[in-house]
Amino acid sequence: GAVVSQHPSWVICKSGTSVKIECRSLDFQATTMFWYRQFPKQSLMLMATSNEGSKATYEQGVEKDKFLINHASLTLSTLTVTSAHPEDSSFYICSASNPGHNYEQYFGPGTRLTVT
Amino acid sequence: KQEVTQIPAALSVPEGENLVLNCSFTDSAIYNLQWFRQDPGKGLTSLLLIQSSQREQTSGRLNASLDKSSGRSTLYIAASQPGDSATYLCAVSDAGKSTFGDGTTLTVKP
């Protein structure tokens, strides 16, 4: 099946710093990617839809100035958590939708962010 | 707004039992439905994808059904094994964006 990678797989940063997470679709072109957040023992919540070549669409309650999304190519979307705080500590998962395969979503392995 | 509910929230069974996990959704205008497995601290593993025009999909000991009109899907696991212990997530998609249920945490005891 299709593969989506994320980097890094885990990161620890100090409060106030910014962290960038990369999501790559390795074997298909993804005009649309999605970013989810998962808190411990909770399900995945959609944060934003990343659109190649245009601005991301954010879900209600997600601060667009805090979670910067860039989708500069058909295989790469990045999520930057700016001025991170401990409450931003979470598991961030991206997915890419493959229109050539019935819009099946392929999920990355996730990035564990811990803000100290 | 789409809402996805999974019942039960947790399930513990002895090894060898057949079991059914349930998923319901409020908006039947879906493109597809996927079942995922998530192990603690790990990402998602896709188990089965059912297109909105399909009724069921099978993979090994897993069988997923979809009744779009009633907003329900079930995941049937035959002859459960301790290695099946994980959280199972149901997600409905409108051609890309997915809405997830809260999951069913399954424990299969040896």
Side-chain angles (χ1 to χ4, degrees):
Chain A
V3 177
V4 174
S5 69
Q6 275 186 247
H7 178 80
S9 55
W10 60 271
V11 57
I12 301 173
C13 70
K14 292 187 176 180
S15 193
T17 61
S18 295
V19 174
K20 180 186 284 188
I21 303 170
E22 294 185 348
C23 176
R24 293 181 185 274
S25 59
L26 300 183
D27 52 4
F28 68 94
Q29 294 183 331
T31 55
T32 306
M33 292 184 175
F34 303 90
W35 288 96
Y36 297 82
R37 180 168 55 185
Q38 184 179 36
F39 291 109
K41 298 190 184 300
Q42 294 187 27
S43 192
L44 281 75
M45 296 297 295
L46 180 67
M47 299 175 64
T49 302
S50 174
N51 304 298
E52 188 269 335
S54 64
K55 291 183 179 180
T57 304
Y58 291 82
E59 295 299 301
Q60 191 173 7
V62 178
E63 300 176 58
K64 59 183 66 177
D65 293 330
K66 181 167 186 60
F67 299 99
L68 300 179
I69 292 173
N70 183 275
H71 194 154
S73 77
L74 287 171
T75 58
L76 174 64
S77 174
T78 61
L79 169 68
T80 301
V81 183
T82 62
S83 187
H85 289 103
E87 57 264 32
D88 298 324
S89 298
S90 187
F91 195 48
Y92 292 87
I93 302 178
C94 73
S95 73
S97 180
N98 189 349
H101 201 252
N102 298 315
Y103 290 99
E104 181 170 358
Q105 283 207 62
Y106 299 96
F107 284 80
T111 297
R112 173 84 52 197
L113 170 63
T114 302
V115 185
T116 61
Chain B
K1 179 184 174 184
Q2 180 73 271
E3 293 182 4
V4 180
T5 303
Q6 290 187 245
I7 294 174
L11 182 62
S12 181
V13 300
E15 182 176 6
E17 271 203 9
N18 303 324
L19 56 101
V20 175
L21 307 181
N22 297 289
C23 172
S24 61
F25 46 96
T26 55
D27 187 348
S28 61
I30 65 171
Y31 197 85
N32 61 45
L33 182 147
Q34 279 183 265
W35 283 93
F36 296 90
R37 168 187 173 136
Q38 186 175 32
D39 293 291
K42 303 293 185 181
L44 302 178
T45 299
S46 180
L47 298 173
L48 289 165
L49 168 73
I50 311 176
Q51 297 300 324
S52 61
S53 58
Q54 297 174 326
R55 298 282 293 180
E56 67 176 343
Q57 284 287 332
T58 298
S59 176
R61 294 183 293 110
L62 305 179
N63 176 277
S65 68
L66 173 63
D67 184 342
K68 200 174 76 160
S69 61
S70 66
R72 296 174 187 270
S73 175
T74 61
L75 178 67
Y76 175 82
I77 303 177
S80 59
Q81 303 171 358
D84 294 331
S85 298
T87 296
Y88 290 81
L89 295 165
C90 159
V92 296
S93 171
D94 61 354
K97 183 171 64 175
S98 289
T99 303
F100 283 82
D102 287 338
T104 294
T105 299
L106 172 66
T107 302
V108 181
K109 296 175 286 187

